[in-house]
Amino acid sequence: MSDTTTARPADALRADDTPPEQTSSGTVRRVGGVTGWVDDRTGGAKGVNYLLRKVFPDHWSFMLGEIAMYSLIICLITGAFLTFWFVPSMGLITYDGSYVPMQGVLMSEAYASTLHISFDIKGGLLIRQMHHWAALMFIAAITVHMLRVFFTGAFRKPRELNWVIGTVLALLAIIEGFAGYSLPDDLLSGTGLRATQGFILTVPVVGSYIAFALFGGDFPGELIIPRLYAVHVLLLPAILVGLFIVHIVMVAVNKHTQYPGPGKTNDNVVGYRVMPVYAAKAGGFFFLVFGVTALLAAVAQINAVWVHGPYDPSAVTAGAQPDWYMWFSDGALRLLPGWLEFVVFGFTFSLNIALGSIVLLPLIYVVLGIYPFVERWVTGDTREHHLLDRPRNAPVRTGLGMAAITFYTILALACVNDIIAIKTGMSINDLTNTFRVSLFLLPPLVFWITKRIALSLQRRDRDTVLHGRETGIVIRTPDGRFYERHEPLDEYTRWKLVSFESHAPLELEPATDANGVARKGARKDRVRAALSRFYFTDRVEPVTPAELAAAHHHGEEHEQLEVPAVATEQRITSGQH
Amino acid sequence: MADANHPSDYDADAYEREVGTAVSLDTGDHVGDGGLPERFENPGLPAHQPRMADLDDGAAKRAERQVATLFGISVVGTLGFLVAYFAVPTDARMFFPGLGDVSTSNFLLGVTLALSLLGIGAGAIHWAKTLMPDVEEIELRHPMRSAPEDREKFGDIVLGGGETAQLTRRPLLKYSMGGALGLFAIPLLVQLVGSLGPFDQPFRRLATTFWDGHEVDGDGNPIFVRPRLMRDPQNTPVRPEEVPIGSVFHIQPEGLLDLESHILEEKAKASVVLMRLNPSDFVSEKARDWGYEGIVAYSKICTHVGCPVGLYEQHTHHLLCPCHQSTFDVTDDCKVIFGPAKRALPQLKITVDDEGYLVADQPFQEPVGPSFWERERL
């Protein structure tokens, strides 16, 4: 402060400076002098104020993305711990640690250090198991979060960009997971790498070159673990964290979507402010996820790497499955028949392997990534959407989603066909053939069933709005008829059921103009109109006030014992249309 | 229409009226011909319902105590973790109902850490739900796109920047810069990709195994020495009389298990499975001829993606790969009878040497393991 220093002649140079404004209330001093110090140097108060005052809508399904975010943070924390003991080397040593069954066995340093973490480092097993559990939760949460976003239409404009980023995150997450569980170099993970080399070899023309590039020569070589380690702890985490920050910032910029309901519009966000409610809830939720991870690591053993011993290319164990998120790909490999491999001009095409691995994996994420753009093209809807769809109000989208889940699930189940066969005593050949057929039959069937269910639910909503809630009160009229009294819905409940849009199919303009000249883009429009019909031909409109009024006329005379003449007349008229 | 008066009856006519009005492609949305009837009004937020803790000071006090208790549990968990860390040795085991035999240290550390974390989480959330404001607030949204003048300005700045840098006036600058920027990453990529290798015809190395011979002649070609079949892991040679019908042996070529380095790379190609069948069981003439008195040797590396074909079914004479269930019929030259593999397992022709041990009569006549592009060309 200036009163402690003597005035100097040079002070005159700064005499024209604007003196700093002083806050009068003293709250800055109360929240801590440090914040004032930081603000003097960053001017951050305004931006932080904005963030702390931000409103977030509340719904359980919005926590799914949060679980993914927190699991990622837990993976980063526990992963950093593990790097202090893990040795990413394939150099062979003789194990002399405290796990008796492996003493004297020749193994890689990677595997030996994983055993060291599991048996000799105090709490090492806990951290390792937390890391693995958090990774599984991360990918599971991403998947369910993605389904939530899909089924509620949250990917629509302006969030297509964030959907694409999310899709990339989901793909990178499973690659990161795969790289991670390959690191211990135990029998299971080595077998996974062996299969991976088999996939890569099927790349046309350059397959053997790519395989040699990745493995540094023959399989397994001594480089793949150190390379995967660099990918797992540095490269992919950097990209994951970077994209994840963009993902979160985009959520803040776009503001969170909300479910339709009373008071909620496309132009507002209804919910709680970050300070204090959301900070407490979200912050608390982080600790819950962290705690559940710790509890799982304490009571549920995962990836017991010591059971099958170090990797040996000539040894294998029955019931070899990758982590769950790779099941679909491994399952596809089990279903694809051998005749898909053929030789043309002496060159080998192994589609029986390539289709289930190097094609399927990227294909799924490309299809996911482009879906919003396809739907936008079909609907021709270029408006912003901040209110979510109830899945029933988008029957075809919901049906497509369910069909995709079915397809994915059959592939994933095919990966555990040996386990199912053992547990149920079925023939593994019959089981595999059943999966092969189901893969083509079930998705369309599930699509059709889901669409019908969604439409029926919409009709029931209409019915509830038009005729009210069933009260269970049966009334007998003087002329001896019985009916159940229906309670009209209150306006808040009704709004949930009527506040949706029902798209009509796009109408095709004539392919030729009045002079018979072909219109530009007519063929493209035909495809678009056909897709639009596929999406929107079967649809249910929300109830309008006029319809509700008409329905009341139908119903009301039951409650009136003496029907006035006018009402009777109206009833007859309405009965005629 | 007697039922038309029933309150729950569905107004099919009114529904029909609304369905089927198509709109043109250009209008995009369903609001097409203006014939849409008016819609319901958004009733606005329902009135706020106060909670117990808002109305009753006793309830609020109770909530406060509950939150404090949860935070207290967290502190107990934290202290418990420290006690477990310093008091419990790593190798201690204990029995826990439902879990069986578990590591005491892992169990106690995990449970106490979980308490420490869950206490904080549950406390904070309970606090938020009972005592923090629960009146929903409204924030307005604005369209994502910038105001038209800002977009205009952006275009001006970008184009103007190019203008003032004389980019438009001097195309040579534009094209030379484009070329330089387009090419500068190539050296880095070449260094990375080019040095990953080795790239000297890797497919040839996929096609040779330790059975071809470990020593090379002057031209670098391996010298075949009729290696003995050695049991893995005992590393002992095998006599035919030691192989009873129905038995199965894991075999490596003589010398492989004595290697000082690259033992796994050789095993990944050279592993062999040895079985003895009744000679009359064979369907394939070649399978029997390449064997010795019903003893046959096949590559253990699956022709699908390279897992070891580890399961032998004695009574059916089937070899099964546990990874993707490719099934090979040993009586019929290990042809694929089920599963995703296409090709039969390569057979190793065997005989006995002067001392009566099983040896390879020739190396594998085709590449072992998974398919690759150049496989049939070698």
Side-chain angles (χ1 to χ4, degrees), chain B residues 40 49-50 110 172 177 186 207 265 332 337 356 359 374:
Chain B
F40 283 99
Q49 302 288 334
L172 183 61
M177 179 178 73
I186 290 178
E265 287 80 346
D332 193 12
I337 53 166
V359 293
E374 306 90 343

Side-chain angles (χ1 to χ4, degrees), chain B residues 4-227:
Chain B
N5 289 334
H6 195 276
S8 69
D9 193 45
Y10 172 59
D11 191 348
D13 295 341
Y15 171 58
E16 282 301 322
R17 262 183 290 142
E18 298 308 321
V19 180
T21 47
V23 292
S24 112
L25 280 174
D26 301 334
T27 53
D29 202 53
H30 75 289
V31 192
D33 48 18
L36 197 84
E38 59 174 304
R39 310 183 57 123
F40 283 99
E41 288 286 308
N42 190 331
L45 278 182
H48 176 246
Q49 302 288 334
R51 296 162 298 188
M52 283 288 276
D54 296 331
L55 304 173
D56 175 9
D57 201 44
K61 267 263 182 290
R62 205 157 50 240
E64 182 189 355
R65 278 196 301 273
Q66 287 162 344
V67 173
T69 309
L70 287 166
F71 287 149
I73 288 174
S74 166
V75 175
V76 170
T78 305
L79 295 175
F81 183 94
L82 294 178
V83 171
Y85 185 87
F86 289 109
V88 182
T90 323
D91 57 353
R93 312 286 303 178
M94 61 181 254
F95 177 81
F96 192 84
L99 298 177
D101 177 55
V102 294
S103 153
T104 315
S105 164
N106 184 63
F107 180 79
L108 290 180
L109 291 176
V111 169
T112 50
L113 181 61
L115 278 183
S116 159
L117 296 164
L118 292 173
I120 295 177
I125 289 171
H126 193 56
W127 182 1
K129 288 195 163 218
T130 50
L131 294 170
M132 290 186 191
D134 78 328
V135 183
E136 289 197 300
E137 299 191 53
I138 296 176
E139 191 176 86
L140 290 182
R141 291 181 195 275
H142 309 283
M144 285 325 312
R145 54 180 294 154
S146 315
E149 57 270 26
D150 289 334
R151 282 161 82 112
E152 197 90 353
K153 198 171 161 192
F154 173 76
D156 292 345
I157 290 172
V158 171
L159 294 179
E163 200 84 39
T164 48
Q166 305 195 4
L167 203 62
T168 42
R169 231 159 21 99
R170 302 186 194 281
L172 183 61
L173 286 179
K174 187 158 68 180
Y175 296 124
S176 56
M177 179 178 73
L181 285 178
L183 295 175
F184 91 94
I186 290 178
L188 297 173
L189 271 178
V190 166
Q191 193 284 322
L192 177 66
V193 176
S195 307
L196 280 174
F199 292 133
D200 50 337
Q201 297 195 316
F203 46 88
R204 296 216 180 278
R205 280 170 60 178
L206 290 173
T208 50
T209 71
F210 202 83
W211 295 99
D212 290 291
H214 197 47
E215 307 292 327
V216 289
D217 61 20
D219 302 330
N221 293 318
I223 309 162
F224 180 65
V225 291
R226 298 199 348 145

Side-chain angles (χ1 to χ4, degrees), chain A residues 122 212 221 255-256 263 267 269 271 273 312-314 330 334 341 345 352 379 384 467 500 507 539 545 558, chain B residues 5 7 9 15 23 28 38-39 42 85 137 139 141 144 197 265 267 271 300 308 323-324 340 371 377:
Chain A
K122 212 174 240 190
F212 269 58
K255 296 198 168 105
H256 209 288
D267 303 319
V269 197
R273 297 210 185 272
D312 177 343
S314 68
D330 203 52
R334 296 177 188 215
E341 177 173 314
F345 299 125
N352 55 336
T379 55
E384 289 189 6
H467 307 294
F500 68 94
E507 201 175 56
R539 73 190 203 282
H558 291 297
Chain B
N5 289 334
D9 193 45
Y15 171 58
V23 292
E38 59 174 304
R39 310 183 57 123
N42 190 331
Y85 185 87
E137 299 191 53
E139 191 176 86
R141 291 181 195 275
M144 285 325 312
E265 287 80 346
K267 267 186 159 185
S271 294
K300 200 186 176 186
C323 282
H324 304 97
S371 301
R377 290 232 149 188

Side-chain angles (χ1 to χ4, degrees), chain B residues 146-353:
Chain B
S146 315
E149 57 270 26
D150 289 334
R151 282 161 82 112
E152 197 90 353
K153 198 171 161 192
F154 173 76
D156 292 345
I157 290 172
V158 171
L159 294 179
E163 200 84 39
T164 48
Q166 305 195 4
L167 203 62
T168 42
R169 231 159 21 99
R170 302 186 194 281
L172 183 61
L173 286 179
K174 187 158 68 180
Y175 296 124
S176 56
M177 179 178 73
L181 285 178
L183 295 175
F184 91 94
I186 290 178
L188 297 173
L189 271 178
V190 166
Q191 193 284 322
L192 177 66
V193 176
S195 307
L196 280 174
F199 292 133
D200 50 337
Q201 297 195 316
F203 46 88
R204 296 216 180 278
R205 280 170 60 178
L206 290 173
T208 50
T209 71
F210 202 83
W211 295 99
D212 290 291
H214 197 47
E215 307 292 327
V216 289
D217 61 20
D219 302 330
N221 293 318
I223 309 162
F224 180 65
V225 291
R226 298 199 348 145
R228 281 179 177 164
L229 276 62
M230 308 295 271
R231 289 186 189 87
D232 184 11
Q234 296 87 341
N235 203 13
T236 50
V238 191
R239 287 177 183 280
E241 54 270 26
E242 294 165 351
V243 186
I245 287 183
S247 66
V248 55
F249 286 80
H250 301 306
I251 298 294
Q252 302 294 347
E254 185 176 4
L256 188 151
L257 292 172
D258 305 318
L259 285 177
E260 296 283 322
S261 64
H262 298 295
I263 192 165
L264 294 185
E265 287 80 346
E266 296 302 339
K267 267 186 159 185
K269 292 185 291 188
S271 294
V272 158
V273 57
L274 184 81
M275 297 146 289
R276 184 171 208 158
L277 279 69
N278 195 326
S280 61
D281 284 339
F282 286 100
V283 182
S284 158
E285 201 66 35
K286 175 236 169 192
R288 187 172 34 222
D289 292 350
W290 281 30
Y292 180 81
E293 292 174 356
I295 303 174
V296 284
Y298 282 91
S299 165
K300 200 186 176 186
I301 310 301
C302 187
T303 57
H304 182 226
V305 289
C307 293
V309 182
L311 304 175
Y312 178 56
E313 246 185 356
Q314 232 179 63
H315 57 287
T316 56
H317 310 302
H318 290 169
L319 273 171
L320 181 89
C321 176
C323 282
H324 304 97
Q325 283 90 44
S326 293
T327 313
F328 305 88
D329 186 354
V330 182
T331 66
D332 193 12
D333 202 19
C334 278
K335 292 210 174 93
V336 181
I337 53 166
F338 188 79
K342 159 87 171 191
R343 290 176 293 102
L345 293 173
Q347 188 175 10
L348 183 71
K349 191 176 181 189
I350 54 168
T351 181
V352 291
D353 64 6

Side-chain angles (χ1 to χ4, degrees), chain A residues 3-327:
Chain A
D3 53 353
T4 60
T5 57
T6 39
R8 295 168 301 176
D11 282 351
L13 285 173
R14 304 288 300 266
D16 293 339
D17 281 11
T18 327
E21 284 178 51
Q22 294 298 325
T23 45
S24 51
S25 69
T27 53
V28 171
R29 210 168 309 132
R30 277 181 58 215
V31 297
V34 179
T35 55
W37 190 91
V38 172
D39 187 60
D40 279 348
R41 279 146 190 87
T42 61
K46 198 175 167 198
V48 174
N49 288 351
Y50 171 76
L51 287 177
L52 290 181
R53 298 292 293 161
K54 241 179 131 44
V55 167
F56 278 94
D58 216 22
H59 191 269
W60 65 265
S61 69
F62 300 159
M63 295 195 314
L64 299 168
E66 270 185 75
I67 298 179
M69 168 165 86
Y70 298 149
S71 306
L72 173 62
I73 295 170
I74 296 165
C75 278
L76 290 171
I77 296 172
T78 52
F81 280 40
L82 292 175
T83 59
F84 295 134
W85 300 291
F86 180 69
V87 183
S89 156
M90 294 174 94
L92 293 179
I93 54 165
T94 307
Y95 179 73
D96 60 351
S98 63
Y99 184 58
V100 178
M102 288 293 158
Q103 280 167 2
V105 173
L106 199 65
M107 58 177 66
S108 67
E109 285 187 272
Y111 184 60
S113 62
T114 311
L115 292 182
H116 187 60
I117 289 171
S118 306
F119 292 107
D120 299 306
I121 305 288
K122 212 174 240 190
L125 180 62
L126 184 75
I127 299 294
R128 220 198 92 218
Q129 299 206 124
M130 282 177 73
H131 190 66
H132 203 134
W133 272 119
L136 293 190
M137 277 208 298
F138 178 46
I139 300 172
I142 285 182
T143 310
V144 187
H145 168 65
M146 220 166 174
L147 292 176
R148 195 280 292 172
V149 170
F150 179 83
F151 283 117
T152 58
F155 55 78
R156 289 172 298 171
K157 188 182 173 186
R159 295 181 181 76
E160 307 102 319
L161 189 59
N162 224 15
W163 168 265
V164 172
I165 292 172
T167 308
V168 176
L169 276 169
L171 175 61
L172 292 181
I174 68 169
I175 298 173
E176 172 73 349
F178 177 79
Y181 81 66
S182 297
L183 290 180
D185 204 21
D186 63 320
L187 188 55
L188 269 182
S189 71
T191 307
L193 283 176
R194 168 83 243 203
T196 307
Q197 193 237 12
F199 308 156
I200 295 166
L201 285 178
T202 67
V203 176
V205 188
V206 290
S208 53
Y209 290 88
I210 300 179
F212 269 58
L214 292 183
F215 288 85
D218 288 309
F219 174 86
E222 289 184 338
L223 288 173
I224 189 66
I225 297 280
R227 285 181 182 172
L228 282 176
Y229 184 69
V231 168
H232 181 75
V233 307
L234 182 76
L235 218 57
L236 282 178
I239 303 174
L240 273 172
V241 169
L243 282 179
F244 145 78
I245 289 171
V246 176
H247 198 69
I248 295 292
V249 169
M250 289 288 290
V251 169
V253 168
N254 290 153
K255 296 198 168 105
H256 209 288
T257 52
Q258 55 191 354
Y259 282 93
K264 292 164 183 179
T265 72
N266 212 33
D267 303 319
N268 71 11
V269 197
V270 179
Y272 303 104
R273 297 210 185 272
V274 168
M275 191 71 197
V277 181
Y278 228 79
K281 278 189 173 178
F285 193 50
F286 167 70
F287 283 95
L288 283 193
V289 175
F290 208 166
V292 168
T293 312
L295 199 59
L296 277 171
V299 301
Q301 186 178 80
I302 184 163
N303 197 17
V305 287
W306 52 87
V307 173
H308 299 301
Y311 179 59
D312 177 343
S314 68
V316 75
T317 131
Q321 267 79 23
D323 270 359
W324 75 267
Y325 45 85
M326 283 299 188
W327 284 8

